[in-house]
Amino acid sequence: MGFRWYSGSDRTGRIPRLFSQLVYYMADKMSADELASEVLKLLEEEGDANMRAKMLFEIARQYRMEGDRPRQIEYARRALEQFDPLAANFPSVAEEYADCCFQLLGGLEEEDSDERFVELAPLALAILVWSAKGVVDPTTRDLAGSFLTRGLYLLAEKYKDRTLFGLAYATAAFLLHTPSEGPVPLVVAHACARRLGLRDDAERLLTQIHEIDLSGEYLDLARSDALLYPV
């Protein structure tokens, strides 16, 4: 059929051909509203959930390019509702799935609600999981990881829950093994190690913080056990 990215229900090639024309050749000649109108017509004919999600993702991307954040989020959310992670063709749209997850995490540096964190934590976890498959860029992975680590740690502190401390520790440890080294995962891991009674690990982490924290700010936080700040 010639469209290797397509794994939907249309065996004639008509839907992927028209979709490609719209997204890759006509998008710069149409407004986001016009593109959405045409893509939604194809969506009604497409029987595969992940291909429908891909179409909705492209609409969201077009609105993002126009700076229309409310419509962008609307279509990113609609796309996320369509994705089927259990389907055999899901890996082919995993990058779009992770992107939608990240779009819905936007602005959470100002969000401290426990309920909001619990609602969105699965999105951050999905980004970390699929980052191991190479479909997530490092910046997206690190921001999602920081959000998840911070939220788990603060919930653990609030409820004094060892399971939550363990989850925060595991997430921070994952980030320690990514190329973009930084002090934040080290400090979170150190705080969790202390709460979990992992004294040797806590000492090793304190040494690593000392090695990379040129300002001494994070080392002081770790030593004073005062990790109650926005990550």
Side-chain angles (χ1 to χ4, degrees):
M1 185 165 57
F3 300 98
R4 295 185 179 181
W5 58 267
Y6 183 76
S7 55
S9 59
D10 177 24
R11 293 295 176 262
T12 69
R14 176 178 169 275
I15 289 178
R17 183 178 66 255
L18 292 176
F19 180 73
S20 293
Q21 289 174 354
L22 287 169
V23 172
Y24 301 116
Y25 299 104
M26 299 296 294
D28 60 344
K29 301 177 178 64
M30 307 171 70
S31 69
D33 286 339
E34 291 171 333
L35 180 76
S37 177
E38 294 302 318
V39 171
L40 288 174
K41 293 176 184 177
L42 293 177
L43 190 75
E44 294 178 357
E45 302 179 42
E46 178 56 62
D48 182 86
N50 284 320
M51 292 299 101
R52 290 196 301 270
K54 183 179 179 68
M55 292 178 182
L56 291 166
F57 167 81
E58 290 296 341
I59 295 175
R61 189 163 70 93
Q62 192 71 10
Y63 278 117
R64 177 167 55 184
M65 292 173 62
E66 288 193 359
D68 188 340
R69 181 163 176 75
R71 300 302 297 277
Q72 170 200 339
I73 295 302
E74 173 192 344
Y75 279 97
R77 189 178 299 278
R78 288 179 61 179
L80 202 60
E81 292 171 352
Q82 286 288 329
F83 281 112
D84 180 5
L86 301 182
N89 67 342
F90 180 75
S92 69
V93 295
E95 184 174 358
E96 289 89 342
Y97 171 75
D99 195 313
C100 285
C101 290
F102 186 69
Q103 290 182 51
L104 297 180
L105 289 179
L108 291 180
E109 65 276 0
E110 301 175 357
E111 180 61 74
D112 288 321
S113 162
D114 290 352
E115 292 77 12
R116 184 68 168 159
F117 171 75
V118 170
E119 175 189 352
L120 296 177
L123 304 183
L125 180 60
I127 291 171
L128 293 190
V129 169
W130 285 97
S131 72
K133 298 292 186 179
V135 300
V136 178
D137 68 85
T139 299
T140 298
R141 177 202 61 212
D142 292 347
L143 289 173
S146 292
F147 164 75
L148 188 60
T149 302
R150 172 183 182 270
L152 288 170
Y153 175 80
L154 293 179
L155 278 182
E157 278 287 357
K158 182 175 181 177
Y159 296 106
K160 306 303 179 187
D161 188 281
R162 284 184 60 85
T163 298
L164 290 172
F165 278 123
L167 290 171
Y169 184 63
T171 307
F174 171 84
L175 294 176
L176 295 180
H177 294 283
T178 58
S180 50
E181 284 191 37
V184 170
L186 284 168
V187 176
V188 174
H190 173 264
C192 291
R194 290 188 59 175
R195 299 295 191 278
L196 294 168
L198 305 174
R199 295 183 179 180
D200 290 344
D201 287 355
E203 287 300 318
R204 290 168 58 198
L205 288 161
L206 198 62
T207 298
Q208 293 178 47
I209 295 170
H210 178 70
E211 291 174 351
I212 70 170
D213 181 23
L214 300 179
S215 70
E217 174 187 359
Y218 291 95
L219 185 62
D220 290 343
L221 279 171
R223 284 174 170 165
S224 65
D225 203 22
L227 185 62
L228 290 177
Y229 64 95
V231 171

